[in-house]
Amino acid sequence: LEQGQEPIVLEELPLDDTATFQLLQDCKTTAVFQLESGGIKDQINNLQPDSLNEIIALVALYRPGPLESGMVGDYVERKHGRSIVSYPHDDLEPILKPTYGVILYQEQVMQIAQVLAGYSLGDADILRRAMGKKKASEMAKQRLVFVDGASKRGVSDELANYIFDQMETFAGYGFNKSHSAAYALIAYQTAWLKAHYPAAFMAAVLSADMDTTDKIASLIRECRLMGLNVLPPDINQSSYAFKMVDEHSISYGLGAIKGIGNAAIDSIVEERAANGRYTGLDDFCNRMDLKKANKRAMETLVRSGSMDILDPDHNRARLLHDLPRCMHAAEQTQRDQEAGQTDLFGSLQPSSISKSGEPSDVKPWHELQKLEAEKESLGLY
């Protein structure tokens, strides 16, 4: 959040936000809770949801039973007016109108039993459970109760049996609407965040999946499609997690680099915060706690491109070549300091430790070597 901006209260988001529904209808739902698989994107494209109720329905519909039964197709065709919406009895219209006449939720089964056959709420729940278990003897008992109750309300036995058959069929596929609504609300909230704060949202999502390289690669592709620039890892800019730099840029999280421990990353970030940017390889090595950032970790930082900023030509081959010499000099200096020894100028200016040598004349890697090293350290190019 920008300075002075009030924190976002997710529970207070408007549930009819145009930008959010446009994002959904465009199927840009990668990283949106419950709505990111290829299959559900196809259903979003077919349905074109334009209300929270339709996201609730979408979550309930996208399961094997409804998909195989044809319920999804019926719902979509009726929603878009390509099929007629009808109700088996006029009294059922208020119950089934939100789902275009399709019995989608377990709660609808219970409501139908209450309205049409006079069930109590408790008895309706027993009916729902019996239908879900498909126990023949129990279903036969329930059918008699349902038809008798419906008959007392002027419904013919034939129609009551037809409605019971419909309830029984759909009860096997029906989803608990209260569960679906909870999922749908979180789906809407994440879609809203992606629509309004894309860089911050994607930085958070990338950070949540830092340990899964395939997921990181997929999310970086998504960032590019969104017009966001994921900057390469950089010891002078990156933190442990991925972080929004501005509305169009995200800094790479050092924690996503393979083989770099938390202690090393904390040391890099804390030292930079305390004493400023790193100005060269000698400066970096001298300022690092080399007990936390060992040679292997330092080499990985070079291979990943995180230390490019320390070389005027971004020459990773030279950085890797000079690293042992710089680390050796820094280790000697740190041992001397621990032993209470300082050089002539150390007591006056401890940060200006003399350089261990000028950068070597080393031929840069060719592009393939750079890519191979990135793949090895980052898991992606």
Side-chain angles (χ1 to χ4, degrees):
L1 293 174
E2 295 177 10
Q3 192 171 5
Q5 186 176 343
E6 288 294 317
I8 297 163
V9 181
L10 291 178
E11 292 77 15
E12 296 177 3
L13 297 183
L15 298 179
D16 57 354
D17 181 65
T18 302
T20 301
F21 283 104
Q22 190 62 58
L23 180 142
L24 293 175
Q25 290 168 7
D26 291 342
C27 301
K28 296 177 179 178
T29 55
T30 297
V32 174
F33 180 70
Q34 289 280 307
L35 305 182
E36 60 179 327
S37 72
I40 202 162
K41 284 180 180 179
D42 289 340
Q43 296 307 325
I44 293 169
N45 188 49
N46 293 333
L47 180 61
Q48 291 291 290
D50 52 19
S51 69
L52 181 63
N53 274 330
E54 290 201 339
I55 304 175
I56 297 171
L58 182 69
V59 172
L61 285 165
Y62 191 69
R63 295 174 300 111
L67 288 168
E68 292 165 10
S69 70
M71 281 173 68
V72 179
D74 289 344
Y75 187 97
V76 169
E77 291 301 298
R78 293 180 184 192
K79 189 249 169 154
H80 292 299
R82 296 190 288 262
S83 290
I84 295 172
V85 177
S86 59
Y87 308 99
H89 191 280
D90 289 347
D91 289 351
L92 303 186
E93 182 173 350
I95 298 169
L96 298 179
K97 188 173 183 179
T99 54
Y100 307 103
V102 175
I103 302 174
L104 178 56
Y105 306 116
Q106 293 176 2
E107 289 89 342
Q108 288 174 311
V109 171
M110 295 169 64
Q111 287 176 300
I112 291 169
Q114 288 177 278
V115 168
L116 215 60
Y119 276 62
S120 69
L121 190 59
D123 288 338
D125 191 45
I126 291 169
L127 171 65
R128 175 193 64 79
R129 282 183 281 167
M131 286 182 164
K133 291 178 181 177
K134 301 184 186 296
K135 193 174 180 180
S137 59
E138 181 63 26
M139 288 307 300
K141 290 179 190 175
Q142 289 290 345
R143 182 182 291 273
L144 289 174
V145 174
F146 183 87
V147 171
D148 182 58
S151 178
K152 291 174 182 176
R153 283 160 179 74
V155 181
S156 69
D157 287 3
E158 182 182 5
L159 180 57
N161 275 294
Y162 170 77
I163 292 171
F164 190 89
D165 289 339
Q166 290 288 298
M167 291 165 63
E168 188 175 8
T169 298
F170 287 107
Y173 304 131
F175 194 59
N176 186 318
K177 186 179 182 182
S178 58
H179 289 183
S180 192
Y183 293 148
L185 181 60
I186 298 172
Y188 177 87
Q189 289 169 344
T190 52
W192 188 94
L193 289 168
K194 187 177 182 184
H196 291 275
Y197 296 91
F201 177 77
M202 291 306 295
V205 171
L206 282 159
S207 297
D209 285 306
M210 286 176 72
D211 296 331
T212 311
T213 301
D214 289 347
K215 192 74 173 174
I216 290 289
S218 171
L219 291 169
I220 288 175
R221 284 195 296 272
E222 177 68 9
C223 287
R224 288 173 182 154
L225 291 173
M226 294 167 65
L228 299 174
N229 185 23
V230 180
L231 304 171
D234 179 350
I235 57 167
N236 271 337
Q237 178 165 287
S238 299
S239 300
Y240 178 83
F242 288 81
K243 202 169 65 173
M244 183 181 85
V245 177
D246 55 42
E247 290 182 2
H248 305 289
S249 306
I250 296 170
S251 68
Y252 206 96
L254 296 177
I257 302 173
K258 296 180 177 182
I260 309 291
N262 290 12
I265 296 170
D266 289 345
S267 179
I268 292 168
V269 175
E270 288 168 10
E271 168 60 27
R272 184 182 72 209
N275 296 306
R277 294 167 62 86
Y278 302 106
T279 58
L281 186 58
D282 290 283
D283 179 58
F284 181 68
C285 290
N286 284 326
R287 291 165 61 185
M288 277 301 92
D289 183 342
L290 297 176
K291 293 175 182 175
K292 296 177 180 177
N294 60 25
K295 183 171 181 284
R296 184 174 179 180
M298 300 281 258
E299 288 176 345
T300 301
L301 286 169
V302 172
R303 293 178 184 279
S304 69
S306 302
M307 291 166 66
D308 283 2
I309 196 70
L310 303 183
D311 185 275
D313 303 314
H314 293 184
N315 185 340
R316 296 177 193 175
R318 178 161 56 206
L319 287 167
L320 207 58
H321 178 273
D322 289 351
L323 185 62
R325 170 175 55 77
C326 292
M327 288 189 71
H328 177 74
E331 286 167 350
Q332 183 61 53
T333 301
Q334 290 176 17
R335 279 196 298 269
D336 291 347
Q337 287 175 337
E338 286 174 6
Q341 300 175 20
T342 58
D343 60 24
L344 179 60
F345 302 103
S347 59
L348 298 175
Q349 198 174 6
S351 63
S352 59
I353 302 166
S354 61
K355 288 191 174 183
S356 54
E358 293 302 316
S360 304
D361 184 15
V362 178
K363 185 179 179 181
W365 286 337
H366 55 69
E367 193 66 17
L368 184 59
Q369 284 177 294
K370 285 180 69 175
L371 289 171
E372 286 174 344
E374 286 178 11
K375 180 71 170 177
E376 180 186 338
S377 55
L378 301 176
L380 48 92
Y381 299 113

